């Protein structure tokens, strides 16, 4: 392990924000993590600096200032089938494995369940954090259990799906246990026989366009990859962290009132009789799509994505996000919540 001081995090966050870490190191085993976390805790207590921050692929993070403390990057490797039963395979994955590489590995092995989640940036260890989701599938649908290092108790703890408290882009790691655990391993329960979910968005249309007559998990994954590449800004070209806000949920009553005022409003059934609104639509209607101030902007194709055109500061992106929130609240009476982790 090489410990670096005053280390630039620019290449380590998909927004491409210039921010530095007082100390930075990667780790590839739980033992290395334990050592670094121990050093970081002592340093924090003696110097009254910010707590340890764990980084995966940096694709769901906004740095608003230099980090006066430790940043450690999870690179724990490994993808291994550890068990199977009549219908499932159980696959244990090191938290540092790239998510899309894992998806491709499962497809090569004919293990079904991750195909709709193709091309989501970042690492496997962060996937339970916000119960990643796309095209009608969420991590919780294929999750079996995980292991996480408790920073205070210095022990490895197992979490079942129920323990993780998964919700819409939520888990206990984002709320109740924020900054308390480092996820080291995730175990997935994947299907031997695919259960296709192609009713969502443009998947069916994309499969037809590609002339697919026999449905396979590879065909679904390829379709999702093509749709995503056509719609979403590539962080390698324009800095971004995907959806900046979560899609808000409103009561059925509130939705009816909104629909009376704007008949073209988009809503989808959500849990507990609520209606999920497309935050991107609300932001677009409020006039922000394509807006740019300096190098901070609201993407021209997908208003839910805030972008860094080059040299935007994290604080400028945050300030833009606050203006968007205020304007949506004023126009629709709907509160947007930030999905990206702001530090
Ligand atoms: P990071 O950004 O490194 O970290 C995110 C948070 O998790 C931070 O708070 C960090 O401290 C914490 N963390 C990271 N690793 C660990 C760990 N091992 N243990 C404990 N805490 C940890 N998300 C979706 O849900 N669906 C999508 O379809 C989707 N599409 C995206 C498209 C684009 C173009 C981009 C840029 C992002 C997209 N995202 C999407 C958001 C992002 O890719 C996911 O949230 C992803 O899981 C983040 O992984 P990461 O490794 O980059 O996490
Ligand atoms: P889209 O297909 O244009 O749809 C816009 C929004 O409407 C989405 O946010 C989606 O909610 C909702 N939606 C669409 N069809 C739906 C249906 N049949 N049932 C329920 N909800 C529906 O969205 P997009 O921007 O191109 O993204 C496609 C998928 O990738 C979405 O699932 C999105 O969440 C995911 N994605 C996530 C991020 C991120 O950073 N979190 C970034 C890019 C893409 P949901 O978001 O709840 O699915």
């Amino acid at each position: 392990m090489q410990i670096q001081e005053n280390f630039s995090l620019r290449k380590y966050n998909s927004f491409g924000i210039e921010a530095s870490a007082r100390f930075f190191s990667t780790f590839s085993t739980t033992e290395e993590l334990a050592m670094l976390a121990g050093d970081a805790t002592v340093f924090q207590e003696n110097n009254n600096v910010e707590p340890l921050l764990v980084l995966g692929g940096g694709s769901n993070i906004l740095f608003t200032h230099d980090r006066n403390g430790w940043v450690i990057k999870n690179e724990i490797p490994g993808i291994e089938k550890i068990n199977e039963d009549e219908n499932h395979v159980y696959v244990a994955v090191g938290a540092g494995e790239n998510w899309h590489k894992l998806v491709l590995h499962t497809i090569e092995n004919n293990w079904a369940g991750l195909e709709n989640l193709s091309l989501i940036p970042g690492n496997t260890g962060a996937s339970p954090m916000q119960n990643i989701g796309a095209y009608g599938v969420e991590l919780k649908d294929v999750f079996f259990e995980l292991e996480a290092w408790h920073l205070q108790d210095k022990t490895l703890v197992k979490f079942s799906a129920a323990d993780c408290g998964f919700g819409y882009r939520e888990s206990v790691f984002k709320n109740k246990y924020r900054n308390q655990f480092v996820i080291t391993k995730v175990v997935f329960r994947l299907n031997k026989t695919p259960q296709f979910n192609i009713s969502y968005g443009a998947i069916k249309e994309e499969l037809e366009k590609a002339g697919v007559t026999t449905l396979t998990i590879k065909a679904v994954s390829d379709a999702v990859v093509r749709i995503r590449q056509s719609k979403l800004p590539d962080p390698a070209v324009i800095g971004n962290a995907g959806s900046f806000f979560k899609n808000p949920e409103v009561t059925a009553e509130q939705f009816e009132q909104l629909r009376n005022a704007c008949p073209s409003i988009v809503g989808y059934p959500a849990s507990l009789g609520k209606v999920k609104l497309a935050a991107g639509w609300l932001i677009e209607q409020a006039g922000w799509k394509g807006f740019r101030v300096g190098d901070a902007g609201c993407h021209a194709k997908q208003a839910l994505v805030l972008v860094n055109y080059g040299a935007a500061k994290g604080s400028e992106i945050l300030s833009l996000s606050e203006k968007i929130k205020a304007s949506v609240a004023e126009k629709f009476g709907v509160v947007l919540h930030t999905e990206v982790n702001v530090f």
Side-chain angles (χ1 to χ4, degrees), residues 60 130 133-136 168-169 199-201 227-228 231-232 241-243 247 266 268 276 278 302 304-305 339:
N60 201 13
Q130 69 161 14
Y135 298 96
Y168 181 64
R169 306 287 188 268
S199 59
Y200 194 98
I227 300 167
R228 293 184 71 105
K231 286 182 83 170
L232 291 165
S243 308
N247 286 327
V266 188
Y268 300 95
K276 180 181 74 180
Q302 171 51 287
L304 198 46
V305 179
E339 180 176 303

Side-chain angles (χ1 to χ4, degrees), residues 26-38:
T26 60
F27 61 95
S28 308
T29 62
T30 309
E31 291 71 30
E32 288 181 356
L33 163 64
M35 252 159 62
L36 287 172

Side-chain angles (χ1 to χ4, degrees), residues 14 53-61 74 95 120-123 125-127 129-130 132-134 169 178 181-183 228 232-233 235 240-242 339 341 343:
S14 63
L53 169 60
V54 188
L55 204 54
S59 64
N60 201 13
I61 234 169
N74 194 328
I120 297 181
N123 290 356
S127 62
M129 274 291 289
Q130 69 161 14
I132 55 169
R169 306 287 188 268
R178 193 170 183 82
F181 286 94
V182 177
I183 296 165
R228 293 184 71 105
L232 291 165
N240 74 89
E339 180 176 303
N341 299 277
F343 286 98

Side-chain angles (χ1 to χ4, degrees), residues 238-257:
I238 307 176
N240 74 89
S243 308
F244 198 88
F245 307 99
K246 286 198 272 190
N247 286 327
E249 291 180 355
V250 296
T251 62
E253 244 180 324
Q254 216 180 334
F255 182 66
E256 272 320 303
Q257 284 164 7

Side-chain angles (χ1 to χ4, degrees), residues 13 32 63 78 92 110 115 163 190 233 248 281 289:
N13 71 99
E32 288 181 356
F63 291 116
N110 242 340
E115 54 280 1
D163 298 332
L190 302 173
W281 185 90
K289 197 175 184 180

Side-chain angles (χ1 to χ4, degrees), residues 183-210:
I183 296 165
T184 53
K185 190 193 325 184
V186 185
V187 181
F188 297 90
R189 180 171 49 207
L190 302 173
N191 297 314
K192 290 184 175 174
T193 309
Q195 290 164 7
F196 294 110
N197 182 343
I198 57 164
S199 59
Y200 194 98
I203 299 185
K204 239 185 228 160
E205 203 181 301
E206 189 60 41
L207 287 166
E208 274 165 26
K209 231 197 284 171

